[in-house]
Amino acid sequence: MSQPTIISTEKLSKSYGKNQSLFKALQNIDLNIKSGESIAIVGKSGSGKSTLMHLLALMDKPTSGSVHIDNKDISELSKHEQDLLRNRTFGFVFQQFFLNGNATVLENVILPLKIAGVSSKERKNRGIEVLKAVDLGEKIYNKANNLSGGEKQRVVIARALVNNPRIIFADEPTGNLDSTTGKRIEKILFDNNKNNGITLIIVTHDSDLALMCDRQIYIKDGNLRGEQI
Ligand code: ADP
Ligand code: MG
């Protein structure tokens, strides 16, 4: 059973700053990720994991090299086409994508659908459906501020799932959670991977979580150091 490639990179490189302060955060990364795979990106703090994730997720531009989605070089797409692709294809579980604490759980979750121009009735139906799927059916109209850390992270996951993405990018999805809550988050992510074929790309420090993935990609000082932990 060979799945098609969903996302790949060629000599992907990213530098920050210029002249004397030029810093090569990522160098010549070649990756090939198949649809439905689960991939862990591991490596020490500062090794370039988040930089790689941001480039893969089209949230930042490479200094050189390319990212391909469905074998198409995304640099050939206009900014608007990239925004559409991101909105339709990806779900994000990133710490910096905060919830709006004063909005309800449902309002937070349906934000990507609003951006995608989905009708208000359909937004609500789909929002309620994914919130039930992450066991938050009882908290739909609560203010996000009033949830526990684990509940907030499940809201973030519901928001990532609401547009039926093909790829979920998760940067330290269990980082700030106790182990029981972390396990619950892992289960939601991997259930979606196994049952719905969603490709998972996860940055993690947690070697147990990394080992749950089909493959581990090890980054050291901005370089790909093979597939090991
Ligand atoms: P990781 O996620 O593995 O901890 P990052 O990808 O966040 O690492 O960062 C890799 C390196 O690039 C670090 O040395 C970091 O300080 C640097 N870096 C990241 N983002 C920027 C930026 N916007 N400007 C300058 N340096 C950056
Ligand atoms: Mg990081």
Side-chain angles (χ1 to χ4, degrees), residues 16 23 25 44-51:
Y16 294 112
F23 179 76
K44 289 196 182 126
S45 180
S47 57
K49 305 181 297 295
S50 296
T51 300

PDB file of all heavy atoms in Angstrom, residues 16 23 25 44-51, ligand 1:
ATOM      1  N   TYR A  16      18.177  33.474   9.080  1.00  0.00           N
ATOM      2  CA  TYR A  16      17.642  34.678   9.718  1.00  0.00           C
ATOM      3  C   TYR A  16      18.751  35.724   9.769  1.00  0.00           C
ATOM      4  O   TYR A  16      19.930  35.383   9.888  1.00  0.00           O
ATOM      5  CB  TYR A  16      17.175  34.373  11.147  1.00  0.00           C
ATOM      6  CG  TYR A  16      15.995  33.432  11.228  1.00  0.00           C
ATOM      7  CD1 TYR A  16      16.139  32.148  11.755  1.00  0.00           C
ATOM      8  CD2 TYR A  16      14.730  33.824  10.792  1.00  0.00           C
ATOM      9  CE1 TYR A  16      15.055  31.283  11.844  1.00  0.00           C
ATOM     10  CE2 TYR A  16      13.647  32.966  10.876  1.00  0.00           C
ATOM     11  CZ  TYR A  16      13.808  31.697  11.405  1.00  0.00           C
ATOM     12  OH  TYR A  16      12.747  30.853  11.484  1.00  0.00           O
ATOM     13  N   PHE A  23      22.218  33.866  10.315  1.00  0.00           N
ATOM     14  CA  PHE A  23      22.158  32.606  11.047  1.00  0.00           C
ATOM     15  C   PHE A  23      21.413  31.578  10.219  1.00  0.00           C
ATOM     16  O   PHE A  23      20.266  31.787   9.832  1.00  0.00           O
ATOM     17  CB  PHE A  23      21.449  32.822  12.393  1.00  0.00           C
ATOM     18  CG  PHE A  23      21.338  31.568  13.193  1.00  0.00           C
ATOM     19  CD1 PHE A  23      22.435  31.051  13.863  1.00  0.00           C
ATOM     20  CD2 PHE A  23      20.136  30.871  13.241  1.00  0.00           C
ATOM     21  CE1 PHE A  23      22.344  29.868  14.589  1.00  0.00           C
ATOM     22  CE2 PHE A  23      20.037  29.691  13.965  1.00  0.00           C
ATOM     23  CZ  PHE A  23      21.147  29.192  14.633  1.00  0.00           C
ATOM     24  N   ALA A  25      19.370  28.710  10.061  1.00  0.00           N
ATOM     25  CA  ALA A  25      18.532  27.935  10.979  1.00  0.00           C
ATOM     26  C   ALA A  25      18.182  26.563  10.413  1.00  0.00           C
ATOM     27  O   ALA A  25      17.921  25.618  11.168  1.00  0.00           O
ATOM     28  CB  ALA A  25      17.252  28.710  11.280  1.00  0.00           C
ATOM     29  N   LYS A  44      17.050  18.942  19.676  1.00  0.00           N
ATOM     30  CA  LYS A  44      17.198  19.841  20.826  1.00  0.00           C
ATOM     31  C   LYS A  44      16.531  21.183  20.569  1.00  0.00           C
ATOM     32  O   LYS A  44      16.304  21.564  19.419  1.00  0.00           O
ATOM     33  CB  LYS A  44      18.681  20.081  21.095  1.00  0.00           C
ATOM     34  CG  LYS A  44      19.381  18.870  21.667  1.00  0.00           C
ATOM     35  CD  LYS A  44      20.727  19.281  22.269  1.00  0.00           C
ATOM     36  CE  LYS A  44      21.436  18.052  22.791  1.00  0.00           C
ATOM     37  NZ  LYS A  44      22.781  17.909  22.257  1.00  0.00           N
ATOM     38  N   SER A  45      16.318  21.911  21.632  1.00  0.00           N
ATOM     39  CA  SER A  45      15.791  23.262  21.539  1.00  0.00           C
ATOM     40  C   SER A  45      16.735  24.110  20.691  1.00  0.00           C
ATOM     41  O   SER A  45      17.957  24.022  20.854  1.00  0.00           O
ATOM     42  CB  SER A  45      15.672  23.824  22.953  1.00  0.00           C
ATOM     43  OG  SER A  45      15.176  25.118  22.892  1.00  0.00           O
ATOM     44  N   GLY A  46      16.184  24.870  19.755  1.00  0.00           N
ATOM     45  CA  GLY A  46      16.998  25.720  18.897  1.00  0.00           C
ATOM     46  C   GLY A  46      17.554  25.017  17.674  1.00  0.00           C
ATOM     47  O   GLY A  46      18.280  25.609  16.878  1.00  0.00           O
ATOM     48  N   SER A  47      17.207  23.742  17.468  1.00  0.00           N
ATOM     49  CA  SER A  47      17.782  22.987  16.344  1.00  0.00           C
ATOM     50  C   SER A  47      17.112  23.323  15.010  1.00  0.00           C
ATOM     51  O   SER A  47      17.645  22.978  13.951  1.00  0.00           O
ATOM     52  CB  SER A  47      17.688  21.481  16.622  1.00  0.00           C
ATOM     53  OG  SER A  47      16.365  21.093  16.863  1.00  0.00           O
ATOM     54  N   GLY A  48      15.932  23.961  15.041  1.00  0.00           N
ATOM     55  CA  GLY A  48      15.276  24.350  13.790  1.00  0.00           C
ATOM     56  C   GLY A  48      13.940  23.664  13.534  1.00  0.00           C
ATOM     57  O   GLY A  48      13.381  23.772  12.438  1.00  0.00           O
ATOM     58  N   LYS A  49      13.407  22.992  14.543  1.00  0.00           N
ATOM     59  CA  LYS A  49      12.162  22.223  14.360  1.00  0.00           C
ATOM     60  C   LYS A  49      10.986  23.131  14.003  1.00  0.00           C
ATOM     61  O   LYS A  49      10.247  22.856  13.058  1.00  0.00           O
ATOM     62  CB  LYS A  49      11.831  21.428  15.637  1.00  0.00           C
ATOM     63  CG  LYS A  49      12.954  20.524  16.112  1.00  0.00           C
ATOM     64  CD  LYS A  49      12.571  19.747  17.347  1.00  0.00           C
ATOM     65  CE  LYS A  49      12.271  20.592  18.569  1.00  0.00           C
ATOM     66  NZ  LYS A  49      13.437  21.355  19.087  1.00  0.00           N
ATOM     67  N   SER A  50      10.816  24.197  14.776  1.00  0.00           N
ATOM     68  CA  SER A  50       9.677  25.088  14.507  1.00  0.00           C
ATOM     69  C   SER A  50       9.862  25.802  13.174  1.00  0.00           C
ATOM     70  O   SER A  50       8.897  26.003  12.431  1.00  0.00           O
ATOM     71  CB  SER A  50       9.501  26.109  15.631  1.00  0.00           C
ATOM     72  OG  SER A  50       9.171  25.451  16.835  1.00  0.00           O
ATOM     73  N   THR A  51      11.099  26.158  12.869  1.00  0.00           N
ATOM     74  CA  THR A  51      11.376  26.794  11.573  1.00  0.00           C
ATOM     75  C   THR A  51      10.935  25.866  10.442  1.00  0.00           C
ATOM     76  O   THR A  51      10.251  26.289   9.500  1.00  0.00           O
ATOM     77  CB  THR A  51      12.887  27.100  11.453  1.00  0.00           C
ATOM     78  OG1 THR A  51      13.253  27.992  12.514  1.00  0.00           O
ATOM     79  CG2 THR A  51      13.240  27.720  10.121  1.00  0.00           C
TER      80      THR A  51
HETATM   81  P1  ADP B   1      13.332  24.776  17.759  1.00  0.00           P
HETATM   82  O1  ADP B   1      11.886  24.840  17.387  1.00  0.00           O
HETATM   83  O2  ADP B   1      14.002  23.506  17.350  1.00  0.00           O
HETATM   84  O3  ADP B   1      13.568  25.058  19.220  1.00  0.00           O
HETATM   85  P2  ADP B   1      13.553  27.126  16.079  1.00  0.00           P
HETATM   86  O4  ADP B   1      13.217  26.631  14.725  1.00  0.00           O
HETATM   87  O5  ADP B   1      12.520  27.902  16.804  1.00  0.00           O
HETATM   88  O6  ADP B   1      14.101  25.920  16.968  1.00  0.00           O
HETATM   89  O7  ADP B   1      14.842  28.041  15.981  1.00  0.00           O
HETATM   90  C1  ADP B   1      16.028  27.611  15.344  1.00  0.00           C
HETATM   91  C2  ADP B   1      17.081  28.693  15.477  1.00  0.00           C
HETATM   92  O8  ADP B   1      16.705  29.822  14.706  1.00  0.00           O
HETATM   93  C3  ADP B   1      17.275  29.186  16.902  1.00  0.00           C
HETATM   94  O9  ADP B   1      18.640  29.446  17.108  1.00  0.00           O
HETATM   95  C4  ADP B   1      16.489  30.468  16.941  1.00  0.00           C
HETATM   96  O10 ADP B   1      17.016  31.371  17.880  1.00  0.00           O
HETATM   97  C5  ADP B   1      16.618  30.982  15.537  1.00  0.00           C
HETATM   98  N1  ADP B   1      15.434  31.745  15.115  1.00  0.00           N
HETATM   99  C6  ADP B   1      14.163  31.272  15.051  1.00  0.00           C
HETATM  100  N2  ADP B   1      13.326  32.225  14.617  1.00  0.00           N
HETATM  101  C7  ADP B   1      14.074  33.347  14.423  1.00  0.00           C
HETATM  102  C8  ADP B   1      13.805  34.664  13.961  1.00  0.00           C
HETATM  103  N3  ADP B   1      12.572  35.051  13.616  1.00  0.00           N
HETATM  104  N4  ADP B   1      14.841  35.524  13.881  1.00  0.00           N
HETATM  105  C9  ADP B   1      16.091  35.161  14.212  1.00  0.00           C
HETATM  106  N5  ADP B   1      16.424  33.922  14.639  1.00  0.00           N
HETATM  107  C10 ADP B   1      15.439  33.019  14.739  1.00  0.00           C
END
